[in-house]
């Protein structure tokens, strides 16, 4: 029933009316204009989706060999490529982010499906004789029905990061997108059905977190919960997933440092550091939102970052020249602005941005906070907007101390002309990913995930497959005497 402006839930291979009866109006964050109406799932809808996933596992999908799952994942990647313009525009309008960024996200989503189509070949048990009289082999089995929850900042990319390994492992999925941003993943589920994924393998149930999301996490028919979102909600997910006990992985928030040493190639390091905060308008878990600068360079770097921040092209998300679109909503913008006001009160200097402009749309300007220390709230809390805090450090040890002085540990970038220093520091940074003289973050095949309060589990890599698989050990006796331990 899905028409251009009205979007149903996606359950058991088709778009369906919600039993909840609820449709919610979606507005484009960059213009405030109406984008369409989307169905919201209630408990009965989640029940139906979980039942469809279970039936798929018990039916044809549960018997589908890896070679066929691989073919389907490649076919879905092809379908995404064929529909890339539609998907990119849908995402840019729904999230308000620059279409130039979204095009890269569509390409990343495609590559992720292709990566897991190949990675299926690595799913294998092992076998070896033990102690001369025992023969053991193990087999890998899908963990079952995966309940997946994703946020609004990369609705398509985060959904595909979750779907691809689960489907490669042979699981069936019930995925809950954020209620503000359900459109791209609903379309991907349709494409998956068109290329041949059986009904019930992929089910999409948009809805509110504390009601629909919480119900999905607690559902006894769900075997594994994979969550991406804030650290606060991640804690709640852990509690909810404890009764009945489920496997859980959490991809949570970040406050990632960008370490800039005086011996770096500054002509690359400074503009790359500017990009590393403002792409996706700073609404990235791994945004390098703390720029740590060697003291001797500090004033010059603050001046240069300020100047470059003023050159970022902010505007219409659909204009290919735009580098930064709007934030997700005016409500979120208020939160971002609150952090900037807080930094002013904490005695930091706002060298550019920091003011809400008149006009429609949830726009916020690139904003630079110059702070003498790492203790202020703007340096400790995830702002999740286009705001970078620039902090000086005295030497290498001080840089490492400040880099690790937050509760998060998702990513860090190091800029230095000394390769040995780069590796030495990488070993001491408490985060799941470290870039040396390279600002990019997520690549299919390279594990992505957090230390500390940034969560646990890894995405995008072979390690992820194991999080959707059970290992079953089978053991048999190969000795000459019967076992009969009681001698009966
Ligand atoms: P959020 O935690 O508020 O919401 C994330 C998702 O969880 C949404 O779908 C929401 O509806 C759902 N949810 C909320 N409360 C729930 C509950 N009680 N039970 C079940 N589901 C619930 O986060 P957000 O503000 O939407 O997203 C931004 C956060 O996501 C940031 O902290 C960001 O760093 C993080 N993030 C992390 C990664 C990563 O890979 N580590 C990637 C993207 C975003």
């Amino acid at each position: 029933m899905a028409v251009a402006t009205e979007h149903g839930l996606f359950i058991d291979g088709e778009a369906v009316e919600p039993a909840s009866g609820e449709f919610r109006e979606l507005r484009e964050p960059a213009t405030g204009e109406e984008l369409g109406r989307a169905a919201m799932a209630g408990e009965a809808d989640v029940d139906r989706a979980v039942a469809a996933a279970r039936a798929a596992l018990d039916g044809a999908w549960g018997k589908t060999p890896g070679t066929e799952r691989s073919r389907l994942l490649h076919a879905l990647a092809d379908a995404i490529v064929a529909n890339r313009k539609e998907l990119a525009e849908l995402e840019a309008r729904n999230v308000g982010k620059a279409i130039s960024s979204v095009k890269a996200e569509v390409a990343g989503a495609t590559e992720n499906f292709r990566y897991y189509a190949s990675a299926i070949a690595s799913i294998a048990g092992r076998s070896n004789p033990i102690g001369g009289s025992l023969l053991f082999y193990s087999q890998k089995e899908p963990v079952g029905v995966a309940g997946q929850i994703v946020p609004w900042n990369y609705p398509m990319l985060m959904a595909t990061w979750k779907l691809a390994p689960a489907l490669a492992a042979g699981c069936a999925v019930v995925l809950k997108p954020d209620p503000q941003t359900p459109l791209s993943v609903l379309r991907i589920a349709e494409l998956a059905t068109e290329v041949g994924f059986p009904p019930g393998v992929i089910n999409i149930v948009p809805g509110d977190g504390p009601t629909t999301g919480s119900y999905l996490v607690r559902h006894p028919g769900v075997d594994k919960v994979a969550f991406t979102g804030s650290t606060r909600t991640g804690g709640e997910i852990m509690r909810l997933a404890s009764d009945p006990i489920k496997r859980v992985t959490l991809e949570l928030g970040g406050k990632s440092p960008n370490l800039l040493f005086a011996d770096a190639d500054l002509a690359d390091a400074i503009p790359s550091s500017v990009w590393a905060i403002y792409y996706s308008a700073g609404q990235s878990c791994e945004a390098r939102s703390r720029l740590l600068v060697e003291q001797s360079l500090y004033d010059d770097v603050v001046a240069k970052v300020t100047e470059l921040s003023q050159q970022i092209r902010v505007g219409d998300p659909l204009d290919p020249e735009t580098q930064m679109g709007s934030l997700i909503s005016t409500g979120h913008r208020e939160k971002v602005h609150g952090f900037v006001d807080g930094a002013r009160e904490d005695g930091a200097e706002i060298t550019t941005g920091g003011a809400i402009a008149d006009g429609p749309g949830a726009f916020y300007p690139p904003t630079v906070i110059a702070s003498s220390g790492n203790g202020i709230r703007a340096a400790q809390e995830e702002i999740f907007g286009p705001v970078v805090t620039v902090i000086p450090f005295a030497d290498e040890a001080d840089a490492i101390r400040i880099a690790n002085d937050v509760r998060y540990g998702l990513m860090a970038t190091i800029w230095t002309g000394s390769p040995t220093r780069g590796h030495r520091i990488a070993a001491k940074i408490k985060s799941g990913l470290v870039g040396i003289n390279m600002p990019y973050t997520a690549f299919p095949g390279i594990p992505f995930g957090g230390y500390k309060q940034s969560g646990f589990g890894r995405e995008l890599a072979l390690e992820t497959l194991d999080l959707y698989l059970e290992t079953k050990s089978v053991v048999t006796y190969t000795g000459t005497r019967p076992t009969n331990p009681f001698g009966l």
Side-chain angles (χ1 to χ4, degrees):
M1 62 132 262
V3 292
T5 56
E6 188 145 298
H7 306 268
L9 310 173
F10 196 86
I11 297 177
D12 208 13
E14 58 182 354
V16 297
E17 294 276 351
S20 71
E22 185 187 355
F23 278 83
R24 208 172 284 177
E25 194 175 78
L26 303 178
R27 292 195 168 271
E28 295 187 32
T31 61
E33 284 168 19
E34 192 176 335
L35 180 59
R37 280 156 42 84
M40 295 292 134
E43 293 188 357
D45 299 303
V46 172
D47 286 341
R48 192 158 49 134
V50 172
R54 181 65 57 194
L57 274 176
D58 292 344
W61 182 243
K63 299 181 192 68
T64 303
T67 45
E68 174 63 4
R69 298 202 304 276
S70 174
R71 189 192 68 74
L72 286 168
L73 287 169
H74 273 304
L76 181 53
D78 292 342
I80 291 174
V81 172
N83 292 277
R84 64 190 179 282
K85 286 195 178 136
E86 178 201 345
L87 282 166
E89 186 176 327
L90 201 57
E91 188 84 335
R93 292 178 68 188
N94 196 179
V95 187
K97 77 164 76 168
I99 196 144
S100 52
S101 305
V102 178
K103 282 181 181 166
E105 291 164 26
V106 175
T110 309
E111 287 310 305
N112 193 43
F113 280 116
R114 294 205 192 287
Y115 172 76
Y116 280 106
S118 304
I120 284 176
S122 73
I123 300 175
R126 60 196 171 90
S127 169
N128 56 295
I130 295 169
S133 57
L134 290 179
L135 176 64
F136 144 81
Y137 66 89
S138 64
Q139 58 193 44
K140 298 284 184 180
E141 297 175 359
V143 76
V145 174
Q148 305 184 322
I149 296 181
V150 294
W152 49 259
N153 62 334
Y154 292 88
M156 176 174 48
L157 200 60
M158 291 301 101
T160 57
W161 284 19
K162 294 257 179 284
L163 287 172
L167 299 172
C171 292
V173 172
V174 179
L175 183 144
K176 191 200 82 60
D178 188 279
Q180 300 167 94
T181 51
L183 300 187
S184 51
V185 69
L186 284 168
R187 182 70 184 115
I188 284 176
E190 275 175 6
L191 293 175
T193 301
E194 283 169 23
V195 303
F197 277 92
V201 175
I202 301 173
N203 305 277
I204 311 294
V205 289
D208 288 324
T211 50
T212 308
S214 150
Y215 187 73
L216 175 63
V217 174
R218 285 180 285 122
H219 203 292
V222 168
D223 303 291
K224 184 227 157 67
V225 173
F227 173 78
T228 298
S230 65
T231 295
R232 195 176 51 78
T233 309
E236 175 68 3
I237 299 290
M238 272 186 98
R239 279 188 291 277
L240 294 171
S242 67
D243 186 16
I245 286 174
K246 302 189 173 71
R247 282 121 195 85
V248 183
T249 42
L250 301 174
E251 295 289 342
L252 308 178
K255 191 71 191 173
S256 297
N258 201 351
L259 287 65
L260 180 51
F261 286 88
D263 64 0
D265 173 0
L266 299 181
D268 180 15
I270 296 177
S272 293
S273 300
V274 167
W275 176 86
I277 176 64
Y278 295 136
Y279 69 93
S280 208
Q283 301 169 124
S284 294
C285 50
E286 81 291 1
R288 267 48 54 76
S289 52
R290 293 184 299 144
L291 177 55
L292 315 186
V293 182
E294 192 156 355
Q295 183 74 63
S296 59
L297 289 185
Y298 185 74
D299 289 344
D300 290 347
V301 169
V302 169
K304 190 69 185 168
V305 169
T306 300
E307 180 194 326
L308 295 180
S309 297
Q310 291 161 353
Q311 292 172 19
I312 302 290
R313 292 189 294 274
V314 182
D316 176 5
L318 296 180
D319 181 342
E321 296 299 312
T322 294
Q323 292 171 319
M324 211 179 88
S326 76
L327 304 191
I328 186 68
S329 65
T330 50
H332 182 60
R333 180 173 64 178
E334 287 304 319
K335 276 193 215 155
V336 169
H337 187 58
F339 279 108
V340 177
D341 275 345
R344 274 194 194 96
E345 285 159 21
D346 288 338
E349 185 190 354
I350 314 303
T351 65
T352 189
I356 295 177
D358 291 337
F363 290 94
Y364 197 76
T367 297
V368 177
I369 299 174
S371 171
S372 57
N374 191 51
I376 65 171
R377 233 180 120 228
Q380 290 290 321
E381 301 282 322
E382 188 178 42
I383 298 177
F384 225 55
V387 181
V388 63
T389 305
V390 193
I391 300 161
F393 64 80
D395 54 22
E396 191 176 307
D398 196 34
I400 294 166
R401 181 189 63 75
I402 298 173
N404 287 332
D405 177 28
V406 283
R407 65 185 179 129
Y408 298 109
L410 195 55
M411 153 120 219
T413 306
I414 303 163
W415 297 96
T416 174
S418 159
T420 50
R421 168 188 267 166
H423 296 297
R424 194 165 60 232
I425 296 175
K428 292 184 179 156
I429 297 275
K430 303 283 182 218
S431 71
L433 182 62
V434 180
I436 303 174
N437 295 327
M438 197 284 307
Y440 304 119
T441 54
F443 312 86
I446 298 180
F448 182 93
Y451 279 34
K452 305 196 297 191
Q453 299 300 298
S454 291
F456 52 84
R458 291 293 180 269
E459 305 223 70
L460 286 174
L462 287 182
E463 285 85 341
T464 321
L465 276 179
D466 257 341
L467 304 171
Y468 288 96
L469 292 164
E470 293 284 12
T471 300
K472 179 179 285 171
S473 298
V474 181
V475 191
T476 184
Y477 181 67
T478 56
T480 50
R481 290 193 315 256
T483 47
N484 191 7
F486 274 160
L488 302 174

